[in-house]
Amino acid sequence: MNNTDLAEKIAAEQGITKADARKIVDAIFAGIGEAAAKGEEIALNGFGKFKVKESPAREGRNPATGEPMTIKASRKISFSAAKALKDKLNP
């Protein structure tokens, strides 16, 4: 399922236009992205949590040359499914 499929499903279930449903879907994901960029945890009841994790800088090797190099610190987003979602996946 992609954003368009999700918007079509919402439009059909809620009796709204596909364009309006697409705006809602886009706004939801934009809001999640903005909160994550601020480092906030996003908790969606019955679905799960998105958390931002910090990865510190570390030493690595260039795979092409084998030379040592520094891998920059970065932030990553992770998802933990809620129990309700896990139960749907494993009835």
Side-chain angles (χ1 to χ4, degrees):
M1 177 177 274
N2 60 30
N3 291 10
T4 302
D5 297 336
L6 184 57
E8 288 175 3
K9 182 171 176 54
I10 291 170
E13 289 180 4
Q14 300 300 316
I16 60 176
T17 66
K18 289 180 186 178
D20 287 342
R22 181 59 192 244
K23 288 178 189 175
I24 292 167
V25 169
D26 290 344
I28 289 169
F29 289 119
I32 290 171
E34 288 170 10
K38 293 178 187 175
E40 297 175 5
E41 180 178 291
I42 300 96
L44 304 172
N45 292 338
F47 187 71
K49 290 182 182 179
F50 293 94
K51 296 179 186 176
V52 177
K53 294 184 178 182
E54 303 285 335
S55 292
R58 63 195 193 315
E59 290 296 316
R61 293 208 173 266
N62 181 329
T65 64
E67 292 181 26
M69 60 183 279
T70 301
I71 300 170
K72 296 188 298 185
S74 63
R75 296 178 356 163
K76 296 173 177 34
I77 192 160
S78 66
F79 176 75
S80 299
K83 184 180 183 321
L85 181 58
K86 289 178 186 177
D87 290 345
K88 284 183 181 180
L89 295 174
N90 302 298

